[in-house]
Amino acid sequence: MRIDPALCALRSDPAPQRLAQARIEQAKQAWQGGPLVAGVAAGLKLYSGGEHLNDCGELAALFAKQARGPEYVSKLMDHFLVALAEEPLGQMPFRHDFREGYSTLVLATEGSATLSLHCSVPEANTAASPASSVRFSSGERHEVAIAGRADIRLIERKLRTMTPASMTERVVQTEAGDVLALDSDLQATIIDKIYGRLLRLRLVRAPSDPAPSQQYLIETGELIHQAAGDQGESRQELMLALLGRMKRADAAPIMAEMTNEGGDHLRWQAQRECLALDAASGFAALSKMAENTGDSLATPACALRAQLLETYPALEALNQETAPCPA
């Protein structure tokens, strides 16, 4: 394997690498110190605190009709292209991601608000047929196209609670300077075709109590996947699954407690894992859930209890201590 001499030099002496990164950090500080970028940072703090975007100064200007988004990104390029030309092995000091022709650079975060740069290339849309499903998640999203052109499907659903979902769609063409504002809970986009590279500046704000994200088949409106909208609950679900796979029966009492609070998705996961680890604790928690008429999970809990009693008659002894499901 050939190793470039420049990389060999960095491996033999870490000092040049530190100097290169210091040069990149200087570029970041210079960019952040400009009046526009500093104003956007101040606006992002207001926005993350719940202010309407129109009241967030320079941040709002990025996504206004005469958007300053291209100017904001141009200033980023002015600083970093020079720095990277001088230090080509320096690392961009932003969280970033790249996969299948789609890349993301996170420029700023404040609380639940994130400002990021997204680049899509035609290779990301080479599928033989158009996307067959769409995902909705809680929050709001604002975008401005910085460069490129694309055909985008805007898909809207009427109500979050409707199953199957009732959705409408229309195709819009976006090009440099176009802005888009979405209620992500009811609106989503799918890129059908890209002409060249599509570069977009995106602002996203998640609510303090996000609802689960939901994915539907576009043709039928059938719900095919749902995931917790809260990262904390997602972590708890993963921990529940891990404890279940480890067969940690000592965790069953904690799981039973977790069926009483939190989002429905997390509570149901706790219920399932508790039943698998300790039938008595799990069945008692399930019965409590089924008998509470005000619980949003009462109906599925009642159905599961009836199914378990039919499949495992031995549970009848436990069922004698519980009340029947409400009519």
Side-chain angles (χ1 to χ4, degrees):
M1 181 177 67
R2 177 185 177 277
I3 299 178
D4 191 277
L7 292 176
C8 289
L10 288 180
R11 291 177 63 186
S12 62
D13 182 5
Q17 187 171 1
R18 290 197 295 270
L19 292 172
Q21 202 57 36
R23 174 68 184 90
I24 301 298
E25 289 292 342
Q26 289 172 4
K28 180 180 181 180
Q29 292 171 10
W31 173 68
Q32 291 177 329
L36 175 58
V37 180
V40 167
L44 193 63
K45 287 186 178 181
L46 294 173
Y47 186 65
S48 68
E51 295 292 334
H52 192 280
L53 180 60
N54 291 340
D55 299 324
C56 296
E58 296 290 6
L59 181 65
L62 299 184
F63 305 94
K65 185 169 292 187
Q66 299 297 325
R68 298 190 70 185
E71 179 186 350
Y72 180 81
V73 175
S74 178
K75 291 182 181 298
L76 175 78
M77 297 298 103
D78 289 344
H79 286 89
F80 281 98
L81 288 180
V82 173
L84 288 171
E86 296 174 357
E87 302 292 348
L89 297 179
Q91 297 293 312
M92 287 290 282
F94 301 104
R95 184 159 56 91
H96 55 275
D97 180 45
F98 177 82
R99 61 185 187 279
E100 297 180 359
Y102 182 80
S103 53
T104 303
L105 195 67
V106 179
L107 302 179
T109 59
E110 188 72 43
S112 61
T114 301
L115 184 63
S116 53
L117 199 58
H118 299 256
C119 182
S120 303
V121 297
E123 288 80 357
N125 297 80
T126 54
S129 57
S132 60
S133 64
V134 62
R135 184 172 67 90
F136 298 92
S137 56
S138 295
E140 59 183 72
R141 181 175 122 202
H142 299 268
E143 288 184 358
V144 56
I146 305 299
R149 187 163 57 92
D151 294 333
I152 295 178
R153 263 186 295 165
L154 176 61
I155 300 177
E156 301 184 65
R157 63 173 173 173
K158 294 182 179 179
L159 294 172
R160 160 172 277 278
T161 55
M162 186 178 292
T163 303
S166 175
M167 297 182 289
T168 61
E169 61 177 274
R170 59 188 174 93
V171 177
V172 296
Q173 190 173 82
T174 185
E175 57 187 20
D178 288 346
V179 295
L180 184 67
L182 300 176
D183 175 356
S184 300
D185 196 42
L186 299 174
Q187 299 170 302
T189 58
I190 295 175
I191 299 177
D192 284 329
K193 187 174 183 179
I194 299 172
Y195 305 87
R197 294 176 182 270
L198 178 64
L199 184 64
R200 293 168 291 169
L201 184 64
R202 177 180 295 174
L203 174 66
V204 175
R205 180 173 65 182
S208 57
D209 185 21
S213 65
Q214 297 172 318
Q215 185 173 1
Y216 297 89
L217 288 176
I218 296 174
E219 185 175 349
T220 64
E222 177 188 354
L223 178 64
I224 58 174
H225 182 71
Q226 180 167 294
D230 184 89
Q231 291 185 356
E233 288 200 353
S234 292
R235 285 192 291 269
Q236 288 180 298
E237 286 187 33
L238 286 172
M239 288 186 284
L240 285 168
L242 177 60
L243 290 169
R245 302 300 82 74
M246 293 173 67
K247 302 187 184 303
R248 290 289 301 270
D250 56 323
I254 298 175
M255 292 177 179
E257 287 296 322
M258 291 178 68
T259 63
N260 297 321
E261 57 185 35
D264 286 355
H265 204 267
L266 176 63
R267 293 174 58 219
W268 194 251
Q269 180 70 13
Q271 178 63 75
R272 294 175 58 208
E273 298 294 347
C274 186
L275 275 168
L277 289 175
D278 185 330
S281 297
F283 194 80
L286 180 66
S287 295
K288 181 179 178 181
M289 187 183 291
E291 294 158 15
N292 183 359
T293 55
D295 195 324
S296 56
L297 293 176
T299 299
C302 207
L304 178 58
R305 186 170 73 168
Q307 180 184 349
L308 289 173
L309 287 170
E310 181 180 352
T311 307
Y312 304 101
L315 291 173
E316 188 63 42
L318 298 174
N319 189 55
Q320 292 175 359
E321 303 173 9
T322 63
C325 287

